[in-house]
Amino acid sequence: MKSYKIVSILAALVLLAGTVVAAEEEKKEGDEQAAAATEETQIWGEQTLDITGIDSEGDEAKRQEFADETDGVHGKTKVASRNNKNGYYSSARAKVGTENDSSLSVRVGKQGKVALAADYKKAPHHFASDAQTLYGGVGTANLELPDGMQADLAATPAADRPAKMLNMYLPAVHHFAVESFRERGNLELRIAATDPVQLTFGVKKERKSGTRPMFASFGFGNTIEVPLPVEYSTLTPSLTAAYATSFMQVSLGYTISQFDNRNDAFTWDDPYRADTFGRLAPPPDNEASMLKLTAAFNKIPGNSALMVVAAMGENKQDEKLQAYTSVPTTITGTELDASDPANLPADSANAKVDTKLYQLRFTSHPVRLVSFTAGFRRYEYENKSEHITFPGNVRMDGGTWTASEASTEPISRTFDSFKLGADLHLTNKTAVQAGYELAKIEREGQEVEQSDENIFRLGLSSRPADWFFLRTSLSYGDRTGDYDFRVPFEHLTGNPPQLPWLRKYDQADRKQTDFTVITTASPNEFLRLNATINWLKNDFADSSFGLLDDQTQGITLGLDWSPAETVSLMASVAYDNAENNQKARQWTPNGPADPYTGTTDEESPSNWTAKTTQDTTTLDVGLRWGVSQDVVDLNLGYTYSTTDGQIDIASAVGGTTDTNNFRPANFSAVDDADYQRAGASVDFHAAERVTLTFGVRYEELDLSDYNLNGVTLLPLTKTGGSQSILTMNTLSNDFEASSVFGALKVGF
């Protein structure tokens, strides 16, 4: 840390605090007299001035991923007023950070009559601070390479391209930041039209601009990382009418959401082929609307209550479809050009989805020791999009037309849930809970037409002593359904391009067990202990391929100790473990491992398994000490977290019939990370409404991941070969930062 930063901050804040304290003492007596004369109207607020100096190195984008934490002066303002006689009130809060990290909140109204709320917030998302690319036009929807580069590399033998790219072109990369900025605004007006009716008008606006990293591909051996332009906005107006009495509350609301993407298409030059470029259709403009009715009825006989929800929604988009290819290509058997969108079977997706939601919840507490709940929920997702059949495709720009029919398959689903539950209070301090749920899903266009899941729940909550509380819960679910893997490929005339034994985990038969224990203990008025244990396992025992099982478990221990009124210590430690097992096969159509024409058994030397594990341990410690009561407070904090992940891959070596005839290497470092943050600050309460703060912080992240080992802008194999992959240096990396800061907070 450079010394001038520390000296400047200390001097500025001390001088400013001295001036403020002096002024505060002079006007204190006058303020007290004025308050008595204006007791009908109260005005109060708070002004904070922050000055920070930061010394950092490493990945700045990771360090301040969702905020701008920079050197300089920042401020926060809070102002509020209230008129005790006529009920008018107002308040405003503002955070002035950097240009791209600020917020404003305003509230005005009259108590019980009208309320107006307005909010604005702008926040950054930093992906990479030193990205590098050969493309020009970063931030636009059209990325272009330097003149002559495509033709030069296209004419260069493939074996010589890596050397030419490294020596001639990559030294001239552009350096830039990959980042986006989100602005959100919200305006809401509530009017108590006539008791007990209230109307609410609202409008939300969100805008996001900038870039984010994306991998674009011209095939398996030509993958390019590019900065995808982000420029869209969402407008959401709404209207709600509510009626409320002591017996019932009813509301009816209507909401529209309009998404506008200013980029209709995104293109980028192909580095290795002359006069060709890739093209992508970004998320399309769309509109969603919903009408929602909510009703709640209280004071039903038997100390019961009923809640009803009904909603209808419509989602649609009709964005123009992109052509098969960007290069003129003749469609076989015709004179039509595949690069002309007019020769598509449809000019747009004409997509439309209707949704419906029905929900009932009934609760009853007929006697002191027993309560019941019953519920029903139905959600319908009806896809009314057009069924479009494409007669073929152009696999690569500059290639030829391939006659291979493919069709869109609108997918619809209906979710039904029936719930029953009961609480039995065995004593005034102990209760048991039991519940049952039947969850049904009906699908169109997917492998499982209908799945049923029976879920059983048990729970216990007890306070055997005033200082001890225990809560446990256990649930067990069993999901079953008939799986037909051919459904998504019914339009194909040949064999499906998928293993017949593969099961998708969101539809496959599954047994799920979830167990949780929560306990707290306060043996005396100074000490509070808490512990949480959780264990969740999903078992896909009937799945031969795909996800076979996954399991998560964790334990958290916490302590709050206040041995004196001015001292408070907080500490917690947590351990989490996650692991899963997967199985798949390496195969190509008509090859030796083809499950239809080659190895038709489930067992094959081309099969492989992967076991993924991840362990995370986190420690948090905090201390707050009132060194001198009402004058000086000391704050200390420390956080440490370590994560260790790995992927173990296994496959038999089976000779000439083995598609992957080798022993695969394991990945011993997957998202391995060590993170620590330490801070110390001192608060000086210089006057009744003046606080001066000085502090220091230290933060460090140490990453170790197989993706970071040897990955450059042009990754090469150990023998110097290349698959023509170009990256932009956007992977997160280590950082270390220390800072000194000061703050002056003045209340009025």
Side-chain angles (χ1 to χ4, degrees):
M1 177 68 64
K2 296 181 179 179
S3 59
Y4 78 86
K5 291 184 179 179
I6 301 175
V7 174
S8 299
I9 291 172
L10 294 176
L13 286 173
V14 170
L15 288 174
L16 187 56
T19 304
V20 171
V21 170
E24 189 74 12
E25 293 299 326
E26 290 180 4
K27 71 184 185 71
K28 182 176 181 181
E29 182 177 350
D31 286 348
E32 293 174 349
Q33 296 173 353
T38 61
E39 59 182 8
E40 293 183 355
T41 301
Q42 294 178 311
I43 301 176
W44 67 96
E46 184 179 274
Q47 174 66 52
T48 303
L49 178 67
D50 298 306
I51 305 178
T52 304
I54 301 175
D55 188 12
S56 64
E57 61 181 20
D59 190 345
E60 283 295 290
K62 185 63 177 178
R63 183 182 70 84
Q64 48 181 343
E65 186 172 0
F66 298 106
D68 278 350
E69 299 179 358
T70 58
D71 286 334
V73 180
H74 315 290
K76 296 179 182 178
T77 301
K78 301 178 184 178
V79 180
S81 71
R82 180 174 62 236
N83 187 300
N84 296 322
K85 183 176 181 180
N86 55 33
Y88 288 104
Y89 66 88
S90 66
S91 67
R93 295 185 179 188
K95 171 189 173 184
V96 182
T98 64
E99 177 185 357
N100 298 309
D101 190 359
S102 56
S103 63
L104 174 66
S105 178
V106 178
R107 302 287 187 271
V108 296
K110 183 175 182 180
Q111 195 70 35
K113 295 297 182 181
V114 62
L116 177 65
D119 299 282
Y120 170 82
K121 181 177 177 60
K122 185 174 184 179
H125 185 179
H126 302 289
F127 294 96
S129 54
D130 185 29
Q132 302 165 39
T133 185
L134 290 166
Y135 287 103
V138 171
T140 71
N142 184 22
L143 301 181
E144 297 181 342
L145 291 169
D147 293 340
M149 175 180 170
Q150 288 177 285
D152 181 24
L153 290 175
T156 301
D160 298 332
R161 287 177 183 172
K164 177 169 284 191
M165 178 68 79
L166 286 169
N167 298 324
M168 182 179 297
Y169 293 108
L170 288 182
V173 294
H174 308 296
H175 294 256
F176 67 102
V178 182
E179 56 192 4
S180 62
F181 306 96
R182 186 192 302 270
E183 294 179 89
R184 291 178 175 174
N186 177 45
L187 185 65
E188 183 181 87
L189 175 64
R190 294 186 178 184
I191 302 175
T194 177
D195 190 31
V197 178
Q198 177 177 280
L199 299 177
T200 303
F201 305 88
V203 60
K204 297 179 181 180
K205 179 70 178 290
E206 178 180 305
R207 179 175 178 268
K208 193 171 185 179
S209 59
T211 57
R212 66 177 179 85
M214 184 195 80
F215 266 101
S217 176
F218 295 98
F220 289 117
N222 189 349
T223 304
I224 315 296
E225 189 179 15
V226 294
L228 176 70
V230 176
E231 189 67 40
Y232 69 74
S233 63
T234 304
L235 180 66
T236 309
S238 63
L239 171 62
T240 302
Y243 174 88
T245 67
S246 60
F247 171 71
M248 64 181 296
Q249 300 85 44
V250 180
S251 67
L252 179 65
Y254 182 69
T255 302
I256 300 176
S257 180
Q258 298 171 322
F259 177 83
D260 179 22
N261 195 331
R262 298 187 181 182
N263 295 318
D264 297 328
F266 173 52
T267 63
W268 62 95
D269 286 346
D270 183 346
Y272 300 106
R273 287 183 292 163
D275 302 321
T276 62
F277 59 89
R279 181 169 56 198
L280 172 74
D285 296 350
N286 61 80
E287 181 178 288
S289 60
M290 183 175 67
L291 179 67
K292 183 177 181 180
L293 172 67
T294 302
F297 303 92
N298 308 312
K299 299 182 180 180
I300 298 175
N303 195 19
S304 304
L306 175 66
M307 186 185 73
V308 181
V309 177
M312 300 175 60
E314 181 184 65
N315 309 269
K316 56 186 179 181
Q317 67 96 346
D318 59 354
E319 194 79 0
K320 298 294 183 182
L321 296 178
Q322 300 290 326
Y324 293 105
T325 177
S326 59
V327 178
T329 304
T330 302
I331 298 177
T332 305
T334 72
E335 296 182 357
L336 301 177
D337 183 2
S339 66
D340 186 352
N343 295 322
L344 291 167
D347 62 351
S348 75
N350 195 20
K352 181 181 179 182
V353 173
D354 289 343
T355 61
K356 295 183 178 68
L357 172 67
Y358 310 98
Q359 186 170 335
L360 295 171
R361 178 177 171 81
F362 177 76
T363 61
S364 181
H365 201 174
V367 295
R368 186 173 63 88
L369 299 180
V370 180
S371 61
F372 302 97
T373 61
F376 168 74
R377 184 180 186 274
R378 181 181 180 87
Y379 177 72
E380 299 177 5
Y381 181 92
E382 185 179 5
N383 196 330
K384 295 183 176 180
S385 304
E386 292 186 359
H387 190 98
I388 305 174
T389 299
F390 297 90
N393 62 80
V394 180
R395 183 178 179 185
M396 299 176 65
D397 286 341
T400 59
W401 175 265
T402 300
S404 177
E405 190 174 277
S407 300
T408 60
E409 184 65 42
I411 295 175
S412 299
R413 306 181 187 90
T414 299
F415 302 83
D416 288 321
S417 173
F418 306 86
K419 290 184 179 181
L420 293 173
D423 282 24
L424 175 61
H425 295 265
L426 303 178
T427 68
N428 290 334
K429 296 184 177 182
T430 301
V432 294
Q433 300 85 34
Y436 169 76
E437 178 182 357
L438 173 61
K440 300 171 65 70
I441 303 178
E442 296 179 354
R443 307 175 180 87
E444 293 182 14
Q446 291 187 281
E447 290 84 351
V448 179
E449 183 177 358
Q450 178 178 316
S451 61
D452 298 329
E453 183 170 15
N454 294 285
I455 305 171
F456 302 89
R457 297 184 175 93
L458 291 174
L460 170 69
S461 56
S462 179
R463 189 179 291 278
D466 292 339
W467 58 272
F468 183 77
F469 175 76
L470 171 69
R471 173 178 294 169
T472 65
S473 63
L474 171 67
S475 69
Y476 174 79
D478 187 359
R479 184 178 68 195
T480 59
D482 294 331
Y483 199 103
D484 185 355
F485 77 97
R486 293 182 179 272
V487 171
F489 311 106
E490 290 178 342
H491 62 280
L492 295 179
T493 56
N495 293 318
Q498 179 179 292
L499 284 173
W501 312 288
L502 176 67
R503 300 293 179 261
K504 298 178 180 178
Y505 67 88
D506 64 325
Q507 301 177 62
D509 291 356
R510 180 193 67 185
K511 291 179 172 59
Q512 183 183 81
T513 305
D514 189 358
F515 177 66
T516 301
V517 177
I518 301 174
T519 182
T520 60
S522 302
N524 55 54
E525 60 180 314
F526 310 111
L527 180 63
R528 178 183 174 88
L529 307 172
N530 60 80
T532 300
I533 300 173
N534 56 75
W535 181 76
L536 173 66
K537 183 174 182 179
N538 291 305
D539 187 0
F540 303 90
D542 296 330
S543 296
S544 301
F545 289 83
L547 181 61
L548 306 182
D549 61 70
D550 73 79
Q551 180 175 304
T552 59
Q553 51 205 350
I555 181 171
T556 301
L557 303 175
L559 174 149
D560 290 295
W561 184 45
S562 301
E565 184 177 348
T566 58
V567 178
S568 178
L569 174 67
M570 180 279 297
S572 67
V573 60
Y575 170 77
D576 294 286
N577 166 266
E579 63 180 54
N580 65 67
N581 289 280
Q582 303 175 60
K583 185 177 180 180
R585 176 181 295 186
Q586 183 78 16
W587 67 283
T588 55
N590 300 316
D594 188 318
Y596 305 100
T597 63
T599 306
T600 57
D601 296 332
E602 289 189 21
E603 295 304 320
S604 167
S606 297
N607 294 346
W608 56 265
T609 60
K611 179 179 181 179
T612 302
T613 59
Q614 186 176 71
D615 297 293
T616 301
T617 302
T618 304
L619 171 68
D620 274 303
V621 180
L623 173 67
R624 182 175 180 83
W625 178 23
V627 180
S628 177
Q629 190 171 14
D630 299 328
V631 178
V632 180
D633 292 327
L634 174 65
N635 302 283
L636 302 175
Y638 178 73
T639 297
Y640 174 76
S641 178
T642 180
T643 299
D644 180 19
Q646 65 182 54
I647 302 176
D648 296 324
I649 302 177
S651 179
V653 177
T656 58
T657 61
D658 189 355
T659 307
N660 47 296
N661 191 27
F662 57 88
R663 296 195 181 279
N666 296 324
F667 297 92
S668 59
V670 180
D671 291 332
D672 288 3
D674 289 311
Y675 172 78
Q676 58 179 328
R677 182 182 67 241
S681 65
V682 179
D683 298 329
F684 295 94
H685 304 287
E688 182 180 355
R689 291 171 289 185
V690 179
T691 301
L692 188 62
T693 300
F694 299 102
V696 293
R697 298 190 190 99
Y698 176 79
E699 189 176 18
E700 180 186 27
L701 175 66
D702 184 9
L703 292 176
S704 177
D705 187 277
Y706 70 95
N707 285 303
L708 298 174
N709 297 331
V711 175
T712 61
L713 296 181
L714 181 66
L716 301 176
T717 65
K718 290 183 177 181
T719 59
S722 168
Q723 291 187 327
S724 302
I725 298 175
L726 284 179
T727 74
M728 295 195 308
N729 188 39
T730 59
L731 293 175
S732 297
N733 220 315
D734 304 343
F735 70 79
E736 183 178 9
S738 55
S739 62
V740 58
F741 63 92
L744 175 64
K745 183 185 297 183
V746 180
F748 57 89

Coordinates of all heavy atoms in Angstrom, one line a residue, residues 477-507:
G477 N -38.9 -40.0 -1.2 CA -39.6 -39.9 -2.4 C -39.3 -41.0 -3.4 O -38.1 -41.4 -3.5
D478 N -40.3 -41.6 -4.1 CA -40.1 -42.6 -5.0 C -40.8 -42.3 -6.3 O -42.0 -42.2 -6.4 CB -40.6 -44.0 -4.5 CG -40.2 -45.1 -5.4 OD1 -39.6 -44.9 -6.4 OD2 -40.6 -46.3 -5.0
R479 N -40.0 -41.9 -7.4 CA -40.6 -41.5 -8.7 C -40.4 -42.6 -9.7 O -39.3 -43.2 -9.8 CB -39.8 -40.3 -9.2 CG -40.4 -39.7 -10.4 CD -39.7 -38.4 -10.9 NE -38.3 -38.7 -11.3 CZ -37.4 -37.7 -11.4 NH1 -37.7 -36.5 -11.1 NH2 -36.2 -38.0 -11.8
T480 N -41.5 -42.9 -10.4 CA -41.5 -44.0 -11.4 C -42.2 -43.5 -12.6 O -43.1 -42.6 -12.6 CB -42.2 -45.3 -10.9 OG1 -43.5 -45.0 -10.5 CG2 -41.4 -45.9 -9.7
G481 N -41.9 -44.1 -13.8 CA -42.5 -43.8 -15.0 C -42.0 -44.7 -16.1 O -40.8 -45.2 -16.0
D482 N -42.8 -44.9 -17.2 CA -42.3 -45.7 -18.3 C -41.5 -44.9 -19.2 O -42.0 -43.9 -19.8 CB -43.5 -46.3 -19.1 CG -44.3 -47.3 -18.2 OD1 -43.6 -48.0 -17.4 OD2 -45.5 -47.5 -18.4
Y483 N -40.2 -45.3 -19.5 CA -39.2 -44.5 -20.2 C -39.1 -45.0 -21.7 O -38.8 -46.2 -21.9 CB -37.9 -44.5 -19.6 CG -36.9 -43.4 -20.0 CD1 -36.7 -42.3 -19.1 CD2 -36.3 -43.4 -21.2 CE1 -35.9 -41.3 -19.5 CE2 -35.4 -42.4 -21.6 CZ -35.2 -41.4 -20.7 OH -34.3 -40.3 -21.1
D484 N -39.4 -44.2 -22.7 CA -39.3 -44.6 -24.1 C -38.3 -43.6 -24.7 O -38.7 -42.5 -25.1 CB -40.6 -44.5 -24.8 CG -40.6 -45.0 -26.2 OD1 -39.5 -45.3 -26.7 OD2 -41.6 -45.1 -26.9
F485 N -37.0 -44.0 -24.9 CA -36.0 -43.1 -25.3 C -36.2 -42.7 -26.8 O -35.6 -41.8 -27.3 CB -34.6 -43.8 -25.2 CG -34.3 -44.9 -26.2 CD1 -33.5 -44.6 -27.3 CD2 -34.8 -46.2 -26.1 CE1 -33.3 -45.5 -28.3 CE2 -34.5 -47.1 -27.0 CZ -33.7 -46.8 -28.1
R486 N -37.1 -43.4 -27.5 CA -37.2 -43.1 -29.0 C -38.1 -41.9 -29.2 O -38.2 -41.4 -30.4 CB -37.8 -44.3 -29.7 CG -36.8 -45.5 -29.7 CD -37.4 -46.7 -30.5 NE -36.5 -47.8 -30.6 CZ -35.6 -48.0 -31.5 NH1 -35.5 -47.1 -32.5 NH2 -34.8 -49.0 -31.5
V487 N -38.9 -41.4 -28.2 CA -39.9 -40.4 -28.5 C -39.3 -39.2 -29.1 O -39.9 -38.7 -30.1 CB -40.6 -40.0 -27.1 CG1 -41.5 -38.8 -27.3 CG2 -41.4 -41.2 -26.7
P488 N -38.2 -38.6 -28.7 CA -37.7 -37.4 -29.3 C -37.2 -37.6 -30.8 O -36.9 -36.6 -31.5 CB -36.5 -36.9 -28.4 CG -36.8 -37.6 -27.1 CD -37.4 -38.9 -27.5
F489 N -37.0 -38.9 -31.2 CA -36.4 -39.2 -32.5 C -37.4 -39.9 -33.4 O -37.0 -40.6 -34.3 CB -35.2 -40.1 -32.3 CG -34.2 -39.6 -31.3 CD1 -34.2 -40.2 -30.0 CD2 -33.4 -38.5 -31.5 CE1 -33.3 -39.7 -29.0 CE2 -32.6 -38.0 -30.5 CZ -32.5 -38.6 -29.3
E490 N -38.7 -39.7 -33.1 CA -39.7 -40.4 -33.9 C -39.7 -40.0 -35.4 O -40.2 -40.8 -36.2 CB -41.1 -40.2 -33.3 CG -41.3 -40.9 -32.0 CD -42.7 -40.6 -31.4 OE1 -43.3 -39.6 -31.8 OE2 -43.1 -41.4 -30.5
H491 N -39.2 -38.8 -35.7 CA -39.2 -38.4 -37.0 C -38.0 -39.0 -37.8 O -38.0 -38.9 -39.1 CB -39.1 -36.8 -37.1 CG -37.8 -36.3 -36.5 ND1 -37.6 -36.2 -35.1 CD2 -36.6 -35.9 -37.0 CE1 -36.4 -35.8 -34.8 NE2 -35.8 -35.6 -36.0
L492 N -37.1 -39.6 -37.2 CA -35.9 -40.2 -37.9 C -36.3 -41.5 -38.5 O -37.1 -42.3 -37.9 CB -34.8 -40.3 -36.9 CG -34.1 -39.1 -36.3 CD1 -33.0 -39.4 -35.3 CD2 -33.6 -38.1 -37.4
T493 N -35.6 -41.8 -39.6 CA -35.9 -43.1 -40.2 C -34.9 -44.2 -39.8 O -35.1 -45.4 -39.8 CB -35.8 -43.0 -41.8 OG1 -34.5 -42.4 -42.1 CG2 -36.9 -42.1 -42.3
G494 N -33.7 -43.7 -39.3 CA -32.7 -44.7 -38.9 C -32.7 -44.8 -37.4 O -33.6 -44.5 -36.7
N495 N -31.5 -45.3 -36.8 CA -31.4 -45.5 -35.4 C -31.2 -44.1 -34.7 O -30.5 -43.2 -35.3 CB -30.2 -46.4 -35.1 CG -30.4 -47.8 -35.6 OD1 -31.5 -48.4 -35.4 ND2 -29.4 -48.4 -36.2
P496 N -31.7 -44.0 -33.5 CA -31.5 -42.7 -32.8 C -30.0 -42.5 -32.4 O -29.3 -43.4 -32.2 CB -32.3 -42.9 -31.5 CG -33.3 -44.0 -31.8 CD -32.6 -44.9 -32.8
P497 N -29.6 -41.2 -32.5 CA -28.2 -40.9 -32.1 C -28.0 -40.9 -30.6 O -27.4 -39.9 -30.1 CB -28.0 -39.6 -32.8 CG -29.3 -38.9 -32.7 CD -30.3 -40.0 -32.9
Q498 N -28.4 -41.9 -29.9 CA -28.4 -41.9 -28.5 C -28.4 -43.3 -28.0 O -29.0 -44.2 -28.5 CB -29.6 -41.2 -27.9 CG -29.7 -41.1 -26.4 CD -30.9 -40.4 -25.9 OE1 -31.0 -39.2 -26.0 NE2 -31.8 -41.1 -25.3
L499 N -27.7 -43.6 -26.9 CA -27.7 -44.9 -26.2 C -29.1 -45.3 -25.8 O -29.8 -44.5 -25.2 CB -26.8 -44.9 -25.0 CG -25.2 -44.9 -25.2 CD1 -24.5 -44.7 -23.9 CD2 -24.8 -46.2 -25.9
P500 N -29.5 -46.5 -26.2 CA -30.9 -46.9 -25.8 C -31.0 -47.0 -24.3 O -32.2 -47.1 -23.8 CB -31.1 -48.2 -26.5 CG -29.7 -48.7 -26.7 CD -28.8 -47.5 -26.9
W501 N -29.9 -47.1 -23.5 CA -30.0 -47.4 -22.1 C -29.8 -46.1 -21.3 O -29.9 -46.1 -20.0 CB -29.0 -48.4 -21.6 CG -29.0 -49.6 -22.5 CD1 -29.9 -50.6 -22.5 CD2 -28.0 -49.9 -23.5 NE1 -29.6 -51.5 -23.5 CE2 -28.4 -51.1 -24.1 CE3 -26.8 -49.3 -23.9 CZ2 -27.6 -51.8 -25.1 CZ3 -26.0 -49.9 -24.9 CH2 -26.5 -51.1 -25.5
L502 N -29.6 -45.0 -22.0 CA -29.4 -43.7 -21.3 C -30.7 -43.2 -20.7 O -31.8 -43.2 -21.4 CB -28.8 -42.6 -22.3 CG -28.6 -41.2 -21.7 CD1 -27.5 -41.2 -20.7 CD2 -28.3 -40.3 -22.9
R503 N -30.7 -42.7 -19.5 CA -31.9 -42.1 -18.9 C -31.6 -40.7 -18.4 O -30.6 -40.5 -17.7 CB -32.3 -43.0 -17.7 CG -32.7 -44.4 -18.1 CD -33.9 -44.4 -18.9 NE -34.3 -45.8 -19.3 CZ -34.0 -46.3 -20.5 NH1 -33.3 -45.6 -21.4 NH2 -34.4 -47.5 -20.8
K504 N -32.4 -39.7 -18.8 CA -32.2 -38.3 -18.4 C -32.7 -38.2 -16.9 O -33.8 -38.6 -16.6 CB -33.0 -37.4 -19.3 CG -32.6 -37.4 -20.7 CD -33.4 -36.5 -21.6 CE -32.9 -36.6 -23.1 NZ -33.7 -35.7 -24.0
Y505 N -31.9 -37.6 -16.1 CA -32.1 -37.6 -14.7 C -33.4 -36.9 -14.2 O -34.0 -37.2 -13.2 CB -30.9 -37.1 -13.9 CG -30.7 -35.6 -14.1 CD1 -31.3 -34.7 -13.2 CD2 -29.8 -35.1 -15.0 CE1 -31.1 -33.3 -13.4 CE2 -29.6 -33.8 -15.2 CZ -30.2 -32.9 -14.4 OH -30.0 -31.6 -14.5
D506 N -33.9 -36.0 -15.0 CA -35.1 -35.2 -14.6 C -36.3 -36.0 -14.9 O -37.4 -35.7 -14.4 CB -35.2 -33.9 -15.3 CG -35.3 -34.0 -16.8 OD1 -34.7 -34.9 -17.4 OD2 -36.0 -33.2 -17.4
Q507 N -36.2 -37.2 -15.6 CA -37.4 -38.0 -15.9 C -37.2 -39.5 -15.4 O -38.2 -40.2 -15.3 CB -37.6 -38.1 -17.4 CG -37.9 -36.7 -18.1 CD -38.1 -36.8 -19.6 OE1 -39.0 -37.4 -20.0 NE2 -37.2 -36.1 -20.3

